[in-house]
Amino acid sequence: MDPQTDQVPSRKRKARSSDVWQHYTLGDESISCDTCGKTCNISTSTYSLRYHLSKIHNFTGQETASASATPPFSPAKAEELLAKFISDNCLALRIVEDDSFREFIHYLQPNWNVCDRRRLTNVLLPQMKAIVQSQIKDKLKEIKYVSISLDSWTSLANRSYLALTVHGISKAFEFQSFLLDIVAIRKSETGEHIAELVKEILEEWQFPLENVVAGTSDGAANCKKAIKTNLELMWVYCVAHALNRSVRVGLEISEIKPILKKAKAICKFFRNSPKASKLLEEQQKRLELSTKKLVIDNKTRWGSAYKMVLRMLASRPAISSSLATITGTKRPPPEDLLAYDWNLLNDLAAVLKPIDDATTFVSQEKYPGMSYVTPVMHRLLSHHLSPGEYPVTPVELLKNKIYEDLSGRWKTLAENVPMALLMSVYLDPCLKDFSFVEDEDKRKDLLEKAESMLERLLMHPDATLSQGDLLESPQLSPEEQWSQQEKWDNLLGPLAQGSYAQHRRVHEELEKYKRRNSCEFMSGGQVNDPLLWWKVRQAKYPKLSKVARRFLCVIATSVPCERVFSKSGWIVNKRRTLLSD
């Protein structure tokens, strides 16, 4: 004993060389088994520990020797993985109490007692939610400005929900999307109530509303009012919804609707009759055609009319042969289409293809920014849907109808977010020269507006966008601004130097960006990512890069919410309609 400290010096522990210790955790007063958690005295011999492994866990000497290659079983880790498996696959929580499931787990790990549903609900899932929320909050700290998308949904239980997603660009110029919440709508779905719910969600996440650049939704009046009037944000009309609605309006014309009705009846016949479906498949194989099933057009599913027409054209000989020979079905088979009708469907597919491609492109998950939408819409309206002067054929009438409706919807979008559209295109290094606009005078006008607007934003980086002050306020030309600055410099001397220096830096940075040539839009068959370009050059353009993060985060569609509700339908299914909110 040390007389100065009255403490017993700690005994030096021997090195644990036995492979048994790979299965045990050594504490100060006890030893615990990593597999089952059983504890024993600190003085227990390695022989007894090895006996426990072989008797209880069926470990042989060979397994013990190779234990370093197999990590020990951890009940806590197993519960964590089980909770993740259930949540990722939207499984019912009752699965942990299912006898077959427990029997399967017991076979894999006899000494592990699977958690019950109560522990899963009260402990494991809340822990997982807390971890995910913490990760999202950490990422949101790296994002100053975001855009939001919102949409409402009615479940099979006839309950209404609102989903809110946010989208922003981090300091590392990585596009981030998060689902903040899905909340039950317990009152009338007015714009005021939806706006209240959005504010509550943002407050819960401690994200300021003034840092929200714009809101994207479909054309529903209540969502539009919530974003534009109640939240006072720029409202972005979902381009994917606009495309789908315009197609639907076009397909209702009298020259197209009857033929689509006949085509739909044929598809329903083969989908609803097992005998007819089997015969069609046999004919497809005999004729060496695709054996894909026919698709039935559904107004709520984007592009379903185009997919129905494509499948029918691909199996035309098999369909005609089956309709001519089939007998003995519960319902009489519909009449086959005439040669004129088949030719019309072929022409219809040619019109709908670019619209379907555009919908798929603007709905992408990787980077669904506004900058991509503008050239796509210009190409559709100016080339693919360009109206004829004297439309005569049904297809020409269809194109005219879609063009007329889509032009109006695009105009609505452009009028509500002129700043977001201009800035997102001009700050995309691949599109900054507006080369997709064929009219030279219009292109020049857009460039001048974008450059003037960007200079004002650089001088007032934290200006509020909702009121449109930067759009409405009169501005001097660059030459007049320099003249005014020189005047104040002469009058005030050093007092004016700070403003002068700031303006000069902004002007130089903007001029440097203006002089750059546009990058290639595509390379290697892939669209070039504008965020990668800004990430590499943010040190060269310190002020411009901040404005780019502010506007390139504005998304063109509310598809993220649609994806959320698609997965929600797996959870609130026919067997789970009584789930609480």
Side-chain angles (χ1 to χ4, degrees), residues 126 270 311 327 382 424 477 491:
F270 284 106
R311 293 284 177 90
T327 57
S382 65
S424 61
S477 66
L491 284 173

Side-chain angles (χ1 to χ4, degrees), residues 168-210:
I169 299 172
S170 67
K171 293 179 180 178
F173 274 89
E174 295 175 348
F175 186 79
Q176 305 277 0
S177 293
F178 308 106
L179 169 66
L180 292 192
D181 209 345
I182 302 178
V183 294
I185 303 176
R186 305 183 189 280
K187 299 180 182 179
S188 179
E189 290 185 54
T190 61
E192 290 81 4
H193 183 53
I194 291 175
E196 288 176 7
L197 292 176
V198 172
K199 289 179 181 177
E200 288 175 5
I201 295 172
L202 291 175
E203 286 175 4
E204 183 180 345
W205 285 88
Q206 299 176 347
F207 197 90
L209 180 61
E210 54 266 24

Side-chain angles (χ1 to χ4, degrees), residues 486-502:
E486 186 179 0
K487 173 185 173 182
W488 287 113
D489 187 39
N490 291 331
L491 284 173
L492 300 175
L495 292 176
Q497 290 299 314
S499 174
Y500 174 76
Q502 179 191 4

